[in-house]
Amino acid sequence: MKSQKTYPFYFIFLPLIGMVFFLTATPVTASKSVDGYLEPVTLAPDEVTLTAKLDTGAETASISATDIQLYEKEGEKYVKFKVSHPELEQALHYNLPIVRYSKIKRRAIDGTQAQKYHSRPVVKIQIHFDGKPYNIMVNLIDRSRFSTPLLLGRKALEKVDAIVDSTVANTLLAKNRNYY
């Protein structure tokens, strides 16, 4: 008799739990866009659009910078640099305060282990992603040998509410025909 009373309870209780889980999980992903692994990003205030690699394997964002010059001004640390990459027609000049330095793991080259980490200056820049402005932190490194001048890692992807589908590219171009 005891098992007959609890049996209908499971038929009611388990579907209710499933429905609550479904309803609470759906809005989180519904607010995020699904983007390809390559997407256009516009640098503000220059309004120059370049290709960014959306990389869930990287934690931080990197931008292709050359002629990096560190200096101090009124006790604050600054950096002058050019955003330069074969994809860009001309270099963009920036002069920004350094927010911090990132500790980046070095790749092992030819089995040498001279130094495991190196330091890169990190600056805050404004980008437009899917037509909306975002302030993100990027570390400065020459990415001219890479296919894209900008890499957006997990921290930046979270900020722009992106979910990455690695099987497609340029979904924003298809979505927004007038992408600047």
Side-chain angles (χ1 to χ4, degrees), residues 31-63:
S31 68
K32 295 187 179 198
S33 63
V34 178
D35 302 296
Y37 76 102
L38 296 175
E39 293 293 351
V41 172
T42 302
L43 295 179
D46 299 301
E47 293 192 13
V48 173
T49 300
L50 45 87
T51 304
K53 178 179 180 183
L54 282 54
D55 187 351
T56 60
E59 183 178 350
T60 59
S62 299
I63 195 161

Side-chain angles (χ1 to χ4, degrees), residues 52 87 119 144:
E87 179 182 299
S119 181
S144 59

Side-chain angles (χ1 to χ4, degrees), residues 104-108 115-118:
I104 305 295
K105 194 173 191 177
R106 286 189 187 270
R107 292 181 182 211
Q115 188 179 13
K116 290 189 175 191
Y117 296 94
H118 67 281

Side-chain angles (χ1 to χ4, degrees), residues 41-88:
V41 172
T42 302
L43 295 179
D46 299 301
E47 293 192 13
V48 173
T49 300
L50 45 87
T51 304
K53 178 179 180 183
L54 282 54
D55 187 351
T56 60
E59 183 178 350
T60 59
S62 299
I63 195 161
S64 187
T66 58
D67 298 332
I68 299 170
Q69 299 172 18
L70 307 173
Y71 68 97
E72 275 194 40
K73 180 175 142 184
E74 298 175 9
E76 298 290 324
K77 293 181 181 184
Y78 281 78
V79 61
K80 283 184 187 178
F81 62 97
K82 294 178 189 173
V83 173
S84 178
H85 190 269
E87 179 182 299
L88 298 171

Side-chain angles (χ1 to χ4, degrees), residues 19 23 27 47 52 59 61 87 89 93 95 101 115 117 129 151 154 170 175:
M19 196 187 282
L23 291 174
E47 293 192 13
E59 183 178 350
E87 179 182 299
E89 289 179 19
H93 298 264
N95 189 1
Y101 289 87
Q115 188 179 13
Y117 296 94
F129 185 85
L151 179 133
R154 291 186 305 272
N170 295 310
K175 183 175 140 184

Side-chain angles (χ1 to χ4, degrees), residues 147-164:
S147 61
T148 61
L150 180 62
L151 179 133
L152 298 181
R154 291 186 305 272
K155 288 182 179 179
L157 294 173
E158 183 179 343
K159 196 162 203 167
V160 300
D161 286 330
I163 297 174
V164 181

